[in-house]
Amino acid sequence: MNAHTRDWEAFVTQKEDGKAHMELAVDGITCAACIFEIERELLKEQGISHARVNMSSQRLSVDWDEAAYNPSRLVDLMEALGYKVYPFDPAQVKARGDRIGHELLRSLAISGFAAMNIMLLSISVWSGNSSDIDMETRAFFHWLSALIALPTVVYAGRPFYRSALKAIKTGRLNMDVPISIGVLLATGLSVVQTIQHARHAYFDSAVMLLFFLLAGRYLDHMMRRKTRSFAENIATLKAESAAKILPDGSTQEVPLSKLEAGDKVLVRAGERVSVDGVVLEGQSEIDQSLVTGETRLQPVSVGDNVFAGTLNGPGTLTLGVTASAKGTLLDEVNRLLETALEGRSSYVQIADRASQLYAPVVHLAALITFLGWVFLMGADWQYGLVIAISVLIITCPCALGLAIPVVQVVASGLFFRSRILLNAGDAVERLANVKTIVFDKTGTVTLPQATLGDAGGLSEADLALAGRLALSSRHPLSQALSKATAQTQPIGGASEVVGKGVQGQWDGEEIRLGSPSFCGIPQEAVEQRQKEQPGSSLLAFRRGTDVWALLAIGQYLRQDAAETMAALRARGYNLELLSGDTCEAVGDVAAALGIERWQAAVKPQDKIAHIEHLKAQGHAVMMVGDGLNDAPALAAANVSMSPVSAVHVSQAAADAMFLGDELMPVVEALDIAGKAHRLMQENLGLSVIYNVIAVPIAVLGYVTPLVAALAMSGSSIIVVLNAVRLQFMVKQANKESV
């Protein structure tokens, strides 16, 4: 099916804001200039409000006003620009990417083999020119080089020629146009010089140029493939169907799109959970490493939340669906990852603009160089053309085009492995500039859900009994207790007394769970327990007349909260704690974490005012909050992070999210961002220095096409290797912190 017969309307989806949305796979993108051009031309179209190309996945995301624009027109425009488009399918994109990778690898191998043989012949000619080689022998070596070079240039150069021809046909220039011209001119001039029995020919330069360009292109392709693999790994966690439980109790396999909130699905032992839901029946163990980072199986029972993409253990579960085809945690994690990879930092925008200006500037520079040497310096036209070819080759902005994206690719992998998801393209730069960090308390430095802190001396048997009794209560403290004790069988005949607690019978004794007064606990004991467990809520349990205890339940500090704060202080960050909780509770937490600057009973608008005050004083502020009541403050800060477990990820207004119950990802995010930011600056500096030094040398005629090819490829390799250093820098920093 070609683009003209495909029903593009069928691939359009509706966004929550009413905009029409479509995702397309794009063939023919070779450089940052291509992305710049596509986005610029689409945004010129009346009705299109958003156009963004993800170079790693070759995906184009477009939003438009449905009443003002037709998707077929968009497809026609893309074809007019010289790009083929298809409905985005990760599997097809991967298959096309694999074909391109195989072609690049074959071309690289052929050009490398040819380059080695031609270099051997060229060395013979160079040494012979110094020792009076006869003309016939030199011509023989040149023709041998031509015999190897001509088919190599035709075959191995195809990836560049195709791209250049498409660009020229649509009346534009891209990076592959001067590359193709340089290769073909060097080859053509060498043939002419061979016919004329000249002392020099440049077959080695043309083939070596192709080899190094293909090496850079293949390296870039592999880096993009590595980036895509993050999203592909997540995609493999997503099931396409679920076993829906019908009203008569039977099950039917249905696609996720047919499920609605409130439906029941069956998850058998060993199956991957396909929906976000709540356990209605059964108990099992779940691999929730995607959400918590904890690889150990976690027990789940009635009332627990489970998420799509997690793996069920030995038990069978009945789930009440909360989200299925869209809006699951897995979908949102994937969306955040794609958003981060599509994002543009200011450095990327600078590099994009520079690459976009490259083609016309380099052609003009090469033409002026040729004319200057021939008409002003009186040089032979062939010599002037050789210098112009060198200028064409040496000014290729491959290093500039790779300088920032390659750092982003490496950084994205490190963020993902640290369970950090970016929600903004420029988050790395803003994280790197942070000086002051403001933390919310509840759900941020503390765990998002209440849990059992201290059993008050209750035996394991009585604690399990209290957990079973808690199953008959709807009170949040009782639910926290039942979850902490992992009990699944309620006490038979237990009844709840609204506002007081729950009571029942066990082995002829009355058992109660609820408020201290309901369980007959002396007030003196309650006051003493409150002093021992400040900030905790007390849940009383009594069995008969002799056994009773006050259980401390609360939202306690994350396990590594104190360690995280110590690490941040050691790095020189200013720390503050803002919370709407009571002065006593916030003060206790601040003291435990060693935070000297804290405020309690703070309203959302007060948090915003305080952050604005800090920014006015010149502080680059990061806000770390739970993303719901802290959303305005998260938006007001220079950069923000949110624990994804605190609220549903789609409700968070943060620039970055961290998964799991640990707080240390905040430190890791700042460390990675700081090092990545420094490498971005270094790569841009290296790219600029290279051009400042190399271009004048080439224009002055001190560089041959071969040396130009080596210099251009060397600059690209340097920025890539410099970016890869990020992995070793982070590993070394982690070792030193242990």
Side-chain angles (χ1 to χ4, degrees):
M1 181 182 291
N2 59 43
H4 298 287
T5 59
R6 183 176 279 118
D7 180 14
W8 291 103
E9 295 284 353
F11 299 97
V12 177
T13 59
Q14 295 293 324
K15 298 184 68 177
E16 293 180 0
D17 59 4
K19 297 285 186 180
H21 176 79
M22 186 161 64
E23 295 184 350
L24 299 169
V26 184
D27 272 356
I29 296 176
T30 58
C31 62
C34 299
I35 295 175
F36 184 88
E37 179 188 34
I38 291 172
E39 294 178 352
R40 180 189 62 190
E41 294 301 321
L42 288 179
L43 290 174
K44 285 181 181 178
E45 294 284 292
Q46 186 174 2
I48 293 182
S49 58
H50 171 84
R52 181 56 57 86
V53 177
N54 183 334
M55 192 168 182
S56 297
S57 62
Q58 307 280 290
R59 182 176 69 176
L60 168 64
S61 298
V62 188
D63 297 342
W64 68 88
D65 184 347
E66 191 170 20
Y69 201 77
N70 188 299
S72 297
R73 183 178 168 187
L74 183 152
V75 174
D76 292 338
L77 175 60
M78 290 295 295
E79 290 191 346
L81 291 173
Y83 302 97
K84 290 184 178 180
V85 294
Y86 315 88
F88 183 78
D89 181 346
Q92 292 184 11
V93 170
K94 183 178 184 299
R96 282 195 291 270
D98 289 344
R99 287 197 299 271
I100 293 172
H102 292 154
E103 181 188 28
L104 288 173
L105 188 58
R106 285 194 302 269
S107 300
L108 177 63
I110 290 171
S111 63
F113 180 77
M116 288 187 292
N117 285 277
I118 294 174
M119 283 301 296
L120 289 174
L121 296 170
S122 297
I123 290 172
S124 300
V125 173
W126 297 340
S127 59
N129 284 336
S130 301
S131 58
D132 298 325
I133 187 174
D134 62 81
M135 183 176 64
E136 289 77 11
T137 303
R138 182 172 57 218
F140 176 70
F141 280 115
H142 280 170
W143 280 116
L144 280 179
S145 297
L147 186 64
I148 300 172
L150 291 176
T152 300
V153 167
V154 171
Y155 181 85
R158 291 179 305 160
F160 305 105
Y161 307 150
R162 283 198 300 265
S163 173
L165 283 173
K166 287 180 181 178
I168 293 171
K169 285 180 180 179
T170 56
R172 59 188 178 87
L173 297 173
N174 66 7
M175 196 182 296
D176 290 335
V177 173
I179 287 174
S180 300
I181 292 174
V183 171
L184 295 176
L185 278 178
T187 306
L189 179 61
S190 297
V191 172
V192 172
Q193 290 173 326
T194 300
I195 294 173
Q196 295 176 345
H197 301 288
R199 288 173 60 86
H200 300 286
Y202 298 98
F203 295 114
D204 51 357
S205 299
V207 177
M208 286 291 286
L209 173 61
L210 270 181
F211 173 74
F212 285 117
L213 286 170
L214 286 165
R217 187 66 58 89
Y218 183 71
L219 180 61
D220 181 44
H221 173 79
M222 293 304 295
M223 293 298 288
R224 290 192 219 166
R225 180 179 178 181
K226 182 178 179 181
T227 307
R228 284 200 305 269
S229 69
F230 300 144
E232 289 167 3
N233 289 341
I234 291 180
T236 60
L237 301 176
K238 185 175 182 178
E240 298 298 330
S241 62
K244 180 180 179 180
I245 300 177
L246 303 178
D248 61 2
S250 62
T251 61
Q252 181 181 11
E253 200 76 14
V254 299
L256 298 183
S257 58
K258 299 297 183 182
L259 290 175
E260 298 179 354
D263 286 343
K264 295 181 180 180
V265 298
L266 185 68
V267 181
R268 302 174 184 88
E271 288 185 343
R272 193 166 293 281
V273 179
S274 55
V275 300
D276 283 5
V278 179
V279 178
L280 301 179
E281 296 178 18
Q283 56 181 320
S284 184
E285 293 181 320
I286 294 283
D287 176 2
Q288 299 202 82
S289 54
L290 174 69
V291 180
T292 65
E294 175 59 59
T295 56
R296 186 177 57 187
L297 294 178
Q298 301 295 313
V300 293
S301 56
V302 175
D304 288 333
N305 293 315
V306 295
F307 302 98
T310 56
L311 188 64
N312 186 27
T316 299
L317 300 174
T318 298
L319 304 182
V321 177
T322 56
S324 54
K326 297 291 183 181
T328 63
L329 176 63
L330 187 63
D331 287 328
E332 295 297 339
V333 168
N334 192 43
R335 181 190 65 79
L336 286 173
L337 182 59
E338 291 291 345
T339 299
L341 294 176
E342 287 177 6
R344 301 279 204 281
S345 70
S346 59
Y347 287 143
V348 174
Q349 293 169 8
I350 292 171
D352 284 356
R353 293 191 186 99
S355 298
Q356 195 261 342
L357 291 172
Y358 156 72
V361 170
V362 73
H363 284 100
L364 183 61
L367 178 60
I368 292 174
T369 300
F370 174 75
L371 295 176
W373 275 96
V374 173
F375 294 105
L376 295 180
M377 304 298 294
D380 178 75
W381 72 269
Q382 293 186 8
Y383 183 72
L385 186 58
V386 169
I387 297 175
I389 292 171
S390 300
V391 173
L392 272 176
I393 295 170
I394 208 166
T395 52
C396 179
C398 294
L400 185 61
L402 287 171
I404 306 304
V406 73
V407 177
Q408 285 189 320
V409 167
V410 178
S412 295
L414 293 172
F415 278 122
F416 191 69
R417 282 193 286 274
S418 297
R419 303 191 309 280
I420 302 163
L421 303 168
L422 301 184
N423 198 20
D426 61 346
V428 171
E429 292 173 44
R430 289 186 281 137
L431 282 168
N433 293 324
V434 167
K435 299 299 181 186
T436 299
I437 307 174
V438 177
F439 287 92
D440 174 49
K441 182 182 78 70
T442 307
T444 303
V445 297
T446 67
L447 291 168
Q449 296 178 341
T451 186
L452 177 64
D454 184 88
L458 207 59
S459 67
E460 289 188 11
D462 284 328
L463 183 60
L465 187 61
R468 293 180 60 186
L469 189 59
L471 290 171
S472 300
S473 173
R474 292 172 293 179
H475 195 278
L477 295 181
S478 297
Q479 293 178 356
L481 176 62
S482 63
K483 183 174 182 180
T485 56
Q487 297 301 308
T488 58
Q489 295 181 336
I491 300 294
S495 60
E496 186 171 18
V497 180
V498 179
K500 294 183 179 181
V502 61
Q503 59 187 9
Q505 293 290 323
W506 180 257
D507 284 345
E509 292 183 306
E510 183 182 45
I511 52 176
R512 289 192 173 194
L513 181 74
S515 66
S517 59
F518 177 67
C519 296
I521 309 298
Q523 183 62 29
E524 297 80 8
V526 175
E527 293 176 356
Q528 179 62 32
R529 188 70 167 141
Q530 286 175 336
K531 292 179 181 179
E532 295 172 356
Q533 298 289 334
S536 299
S537 298
L538 299 181
L539 183 64
F541 172 76
R542 176 178 286 278
R543 178 171 63 83
T545 57
D546 299 326
V547 178
W548 60 269
L550 290 168
L551 310 176
I553 295 177
Q555 288 180 294
Y556 299 107
L557 288 175
R558 293 176 185 263
Q559 186 175 1
D560 64 341
E563 179 186 357
T564 299
M565 299 304 164
L568 291 172
R569 280 194 299 273
R571 287 162 171 76
Y573 293 105
N574 302 313
L575 305 182
E576 297 193 15
L577 184 66
L578 298 182
S579 176
D581 210 339
T582 64
C583 185
E584 182 182 7
V586 179
D588 290 339
V589 169
L593 298 178
I595 298 177
E596 297 179 358
R597 297 175 61 87
W598 57 272
Q599 295 183 35
V602 179
K603 297 179 180 178
Q605 56 267 35
D606 297 329
K607 289 185 180 181
I608 296 174
H610 183 69
I611 289 173
E612 293 294 348
H613 176 68
L614 290 173
K615 290 166 64 178
Q617 291 181 328
H619 294 263
V621 182
M622 180 169 79
M623 175 72 189
V624 185
D626 63 7
L628 189 56
N629 60 330
D630 291 317
L634 291 169
N638 297 97
V639 66
S640 54
M641 290 188 72
S642 175
V644 74
S645 56
V647 293
H648 195 277
V649 68
S650 63
Q651 294 176 293
D655 297 302
M657 310 269 182
F658 58 92
L659 299 170
D661 291 333
E662 296 181 348
L663 202 57
M664 192 56 72
V666 174
V667 180
E668 294 172 354
L670 292 167
D671 285 348
I672 295 170
K675 292 176 174 61
H677 185 253
R678 188 167 78 242
L679 289 179
M680 287 179 183
Q681 292 176 318
E682 289 178 5
N683 275 358
L684 282 178
L686 289 170
S687 302
V688 172
I689 291 171
Y690 161 75
N691 282 286
V692 168
I693 296 175
V695 174
I697 293 176
V699 170
L700 292 174
Y702 294 114
V703 176
T704 66
L706 177 59
V707 174
L710 290 170
M712 179 275 298
S713 301
S715 66
S716 298
I717 293 172
I718 287 172
V719 298
V720 170
L721 292 178
N722 194 45
V724 173
R725 282 178 53 222
L726 180 60
Q727 292 183 338
F728 301 100
M729 292 166 65
V730 172
K731 287 180 181 178
Q732 184 62 33
N734 291 339
K735 288 180 181 179
E736 293 175 356
S737 64
V738 173

